[in-house]
Structures are given as C-alpha cells and as structure tokens.
Amino acid sequence: HTARSRTPPPKTATIKSLTAERNPPPRQIGVDSSATAATDWKEERWDPEGWQKSGAEACALIYGSAYPKLRERMEVLHPLLNTMMIEHGYGRVLSRTSLPLRIRELCVLAVLAGQSVAPQLTSHMRGAIKCGATPEEVKAVISQTHLAWGKEAQEVADAVHEGCVRGSKAAL
C-alpha cells in the first residue's frame, strides 16, 4: 500500500477558481430533443410548481380512481414522501416531454417487474393502458422480464399480469 501525495493548489489560485471547483455548474440531466447530436444536453430549470402540477396530472391519469387514496396513504406515511412522489417521480421523471407517457409507463413496467412489488406493478400495468399502451405492449414488456431479472422474476411478473388480466377493468 503506497500513500498518495496531494499536490497543493498553485499559489496563484484565486478564490474564484477554488470556489468553481467546489461548486460545479448545474448538472445536465437530459438530452435536448431539439439537439442535433446525441451528446447535446440541456439543463433542467428549477420549477417545483410545474413539477407538482404535471406530476399530479400524470399520477392521476395513471392511478385513475385510486389516485386520491394513493395521495392520502402517502401523506399519512410522511408529507415529504407525498411531495417527493409527485414532484420528483411523476413531475420531474414521468412528465418529461421527450418521450410520451405511454412509453415511460412501459419502461416503468420493465423496472418494476423484477422488484417483488406486485401492487405497484399492477397499478402501472393499468396505468400504461390508461396512458394509451395496448394490452399486447404490456404483455410484450412483461414477457421479457427474465432477460433482466431472471426466471423467478419472470414467473412472478407473469402471475401479476395474469391477475391483472382476470380482474382488470382496463381489460389487459
């Protein structure tokens, strides 16, 4: 084991240059859909009110009549969880405009399918349909669970899907 030596900053360093190292510019978080190259990024604007509004709209569309109950449950768990779910999960992530909500919901299915979260998977299967996905698209995503999550996860995802098909008002 060898010790690393730290090089002190040059004596000509200014406070501005040292501060810039500790306070980098805002993170670039998304590809600009108007960009001409895959490496063109845009920065996200700080907009909690907008995230709250678009997040509430997306969540209400996905959860339908279960939306008020979901919000109440989250609020009881902790008010910040409710805020984080709406502003960040649904507002900042699912409500971005670079992909339609239908596609984002299908991606959510792929992520949830291997995580042993049957209630959330069920809700998002129904949500994908409400956002315009077809039953065949939902089935296609679920049928590929084993590729990322393994055989056991595939069996669970298939069982959740079958339960949705049998008991769904959305006719998966």
Side-chain angles (χ1 to χ4, degrees), residues 26-30 42-52 54 87-88 91-92 96-97:
R27 252 185 50 199
Q28 297 173 331
I29 60 149
K42 71 176 181 180
E43 294 178 6
E44 178 180 56
R45 284 182 283 118
W46 182 254
D47 186 13
E49 292 83 18
W51 299 329
Q52 183 69 231
S54 62
E87 282 185 16
H88 298 283
R92 291 178 81 177
R96 289 184 186 166
T97 58

Side-chain angles (χ1 to χ4, degrees), residues 159-171:
V160 171
H161 182 264
E162 285 305 312
C164 266
V165 170
R166 282 195 307 270
S168 175
K169 296 174 191 165

Side-chain angles (χ1 to χ4, degrees), residues 44 96 129 141 149:
E44 178 180 56
R96 289 184 186 166
I129 297 292
V141 170
W149 298 101

Side-chain angles (χ1 to χ4, degrees), residues 62-63 105 109 112 117-128 159-161 163-165 168 172:
I62 291 164
Y63 280 85
E105 273 297 283
L109 296 181
L112 292 175
V117 288
Q120 290 81 4
L121 182 56
T122 300
S123 294
H124 283 279
M125 282 182 193
R126 292 179 180 143
V160 171
H161 182 264
C164 266
V165 170
S168 175
L172 290 176

